[in-house]
Amino acid sequence: GGNDAINTTIINFNNEKMQITWAARELFPNENVSFFYTFDEGKNKVWKPCTTYLLDQDYNSGCLFKTVGPTLAISIRNSNGSEVLFSKNLKADFYIKPSPPENVTFFWEEDTVTVSCNKPEGNAWCLTLELQYKSKFDKEWQSRTSKCCSVGEQGFDPRKCYSFRVRLRRRVPYCNVVKYSSDWAAETFWMNGMLLDSCDDDITLQSKTVIVLSCLLAVLLMMLILLILLCKWQRVQMSILPAIPDPKYPFADLFNYHNGNLQEWLDKNDHVVLQTKLEYEEPESITEAESQQEDGKNSDKQGPLEKIFTFPGAAENNDGKAAEIACLIPASNTMAPLAGFHILMNDDMYVML
C-alpha cells in the first residue's frame, strides 16, 4: 500500500542505461509529474532530477539515465518536486536486459549445427543462449537453449532451407527478478551449410541447377545424335564411293625399300614373279595330264560301244571317219543290236553316247 501501489516498469539495459516507465495518463491524469533518482546508499542520498523524459501525449511517462551502481532509489513527485507521489528502492542488477549476442557463428557438420557467440563481460553464468529455427515448411519456431555461449542441434535436412535467430536470456531467479531477454540477433538463412540471403534463394538455386543440368543433357544428346549421323554417313559414303586402296600396303617393299622405283623393285623380284608363275602353271599341267588320262579311259570305254553300234555299210568302209558318221547317223530302217536286243531305227531317230 501507500507509495508502493504504483506499477512501474524497470529495465537495466546491459547494466549501462536505466529506463523507468509508468502509466502517466492512468495514475496522474491531471498532473505532469517529475522524476528523481539516486545510486547512493545510506541516509545522505543526493537525488538527481531526470534530464531525459519519455512522453505520452505531452505527459512525462518515463525517464532514461545512466547506470552507475548496483542499487537504485527512485522517486516520482509532483510537477515542482515538493511532494513525493511514489518512491522505491531496488537492485539495479536484478533488472538487466542483455544486449543481443555478438559475432554469431554457425558451424555445420552433416545434419548438426552449432551456434556460438562472444562471451559477454561479467556474470556470463547468468546468461543462456537461445537458438530458434524453422524451415519454410514450418509454421512455428523450434527452440533450443544452452548455457552461454554455445548451443547445438541436430537433425537438419540438407534439402531444406532454415531460418535461424539467437538471443541471450537472463536467468531467473538467480540473477533477475524479471525474465528479460535480449533482442534477437539478425536472422540468417542456411541450406546444407551454405549461407543464403533468404529462403527464397534456394528455389532460385534449384532452378539454376535444373537449367544447368538440362543444358548439359541437351549438349550430350546433340553430341550423341551427331555421332550416330556421322557413323551412318560414313557407311553411306563407303557404299556410294568406295575407298581407293592405297598401293603402299600391298607393295610395302616397293615404297619401304625401293622408294617407289618400280623398275628396281621388278628387277629385285623377278624370281618371286617367276616362282609365282610356276606355281600357277603346275596345277594347270597336272590338270591337263589328268584330263588326258580321263580321255584315254573314255576312249577305251567307247571302243566296245562302237563295236556294238556297227551298222551295215560301215564295216565295208575302211575309212574311220565314215564309220563314225555311219554310227552317228544310222541308215533308214536299220536294225541296231544293243545288248542282245535289236532296235529298228529310221530317219527320225538317233543315239547319243
Side-chain angles (χ1 to χ4, degrees):
N3 292 339
D4 292 335
I6 297 177
N7 186 20
T8 57
T9 301
I10 303 169
I11 303 176
N12 183 359
F13 291 102
N14 200 36
N15 209 24
E16 296 175 356
K17 184 178 291 187
M18 297 292 301
Q19 176 181 291
I20 313 295
T21 58
W22 57 88
R25 301 299 297 163
E26 297 176 3
L27 298 175
F28 314 105
N30 299 321
E31 187 174 3
N32 197 5
V33 297
S34 58
F35 181 85
F36 293 84
Y37 67 94
T38 181
F39 287 95
D40 296 335
E41 299 182 12
K43 296 181 180 180
N44 298 323
K45 297 179 179 180
V46 178
W47 293 92
K48 297 179 180 181
C50 178
T51 57
T52 305
Y53 278 101
L54 302 177
L55 301 179
D56 179 13
Q57 297 181 4
D58 296 332
Y59 283 86
N60 297 334
S61 61
C63 181
L64 284 174
F65 52 93
K66 187 177 180 180
T67 304
V68 294
T71 59
L72 175 65
I74 60 176
S75 175
I76 298 177
R77 305 176 184 181
N78 57 3
S79 58
N80 56 18
S82 60
E83 181 183 356
V84 176
L85 303 178
F86 171 77
S87 63
K88 186 175 183 178
N89 297 325
L90 53 93
K91 285 283 187 178
D93 293 344
F94 286 171
Y95 297 89
I96 293 178
K97 178 181 175 67
S99 298
E102 298 179 351
N103 295 332
V104 180
T105 58
F106 290 78
F107 176 73
W108 288 80
E109 186 176 5
E110 296 181 353
D111 65 338
T112 303
V113 60
T114 302
V115 184
S116 58
C117 66
N118 286 353
K119 191 174 183 179
E121 297 180 358
N123 295 330
W125 68 273
C126 287
L127 298 173
T128 59
L129 182 63
E130 181 182 6
L131 168 67
Q132 286 191 349
Y133 62 90
K134 68 176 181 178
S135 70
K136 61 181 180 181
F137 304 102
D138 299 327
K139 295 182 179 179
E140 298 181 354
W141 290 93
Q142 305 293 324
S143 182
R144 294 290 182 273
T145 303
S146 180
K147 64 180 181 179
C148 187
C149 292
S150 179
V151 58
E153 181 62 11
Q154 61 183 5
F156 292 97
D157 190 344
R159 298 170 297 180
K160 295 181 180 180
C161 178
Y162 292 89
S163 303
F164 290 92
R165 63 182 185 181
V166 291
R167 66 179 177 181
L168 293 172
R169 298 177 61 178
R170 189 81 171 174
R171 299 180 65 184
V172 176
Y174 308 103
C175 301
N176 260 34
V177 295
V178 182
K179 294 181 179 181
Y180 281 148
S181 300
S182 71
D183 294 334
W184 292 104
E187 186 175 351
T188 56
F189 306 92
W190 296 82
M191 180 178 179
N192 195 21
M194 182 183 298
L195 180 63
L196 304 176
D197 293 335
S198 68
C199 276
D200 295 333
D201 293 346
D202 70 324
I203 301 176
T204 305
L205 182 62
Q206 291 177 1
S207 62
K208 290 182 178 179
T209 304
V210 170
I211 292 173
V212 172
L213 291 177
S214 300
C215 293
L216 289 176
L217 289 176
V219 171
L220 291 176
L221 183 60
M222 290 296 296
M223 292 177 64
L224 180 60
I225 293 174
L226 290 176
L227 183 61
I228 293 173
L229 292 177
L230 180 60
C231 293
K232 289 188 175 182
W233 168 247
Q234 288 180 351
R235 291 182 180 179
V236 172
Q237 188 177 14
M238 291 179 64
S239 61
I240 297 176
L241 300 173
I244 300 174
D246 190 351
K248 180 178 180 181
Y249 299 100
F251 303 97
D253 293 342
L254 175 62
F255 294 96
N256 294 336
Y257 301 104
H258 303 285
N259 296 324
N261 191 330
L262 180 61
Q263 186 61 42
E264 181 182 347
W265 179 77
L266 289 175
D267 294 340
K268 294 287 185 180
N269 293 275
D270 281 345
H271 66 284
V272 178
V273 176
L274 179 59
Q275 183 179 356
T276 304
K277 182 176 181 182
L278 291 176
E279 289 177 355
Y280 280 103
E281 286 180 352
E282 287 178 359
E284 293 178 358
S285 301
I286 295 171
T287 305
E288 184 177 356
E290 291 178 353
S291 300
Q292 291 177 358
Q293 290 178 3
E294 290 179 358
D295 293 340
K297 292 179 181 180
N298 292 334
S299 63
D300 293 340
K301 291 180 181 180
Q302 289 177 1
L305 291 176
E306 291 178 356
K307 292 178 181 179
I308 294 172
F309 291 96
T310 302
F311 299 98
E316 295 177 358
N317 193 350
N318 294 327
D319 191 354
K321 188 173 182 180
E324 184 179 356
I325 296 173
C327 179
L328 295 176
I329 307 175
S332 178
N333 298 324
T334 303
M335 296 296 293
L338 178 61
F341 295 94
H342 296 276
I343 302 173
L344 179 62
M345 305 180 67
N346 56 22
D347 296 337
D348 297 329
M349 300 179 64
Y350 65 94
V351 175
M352 179 181 291
L353 298 181

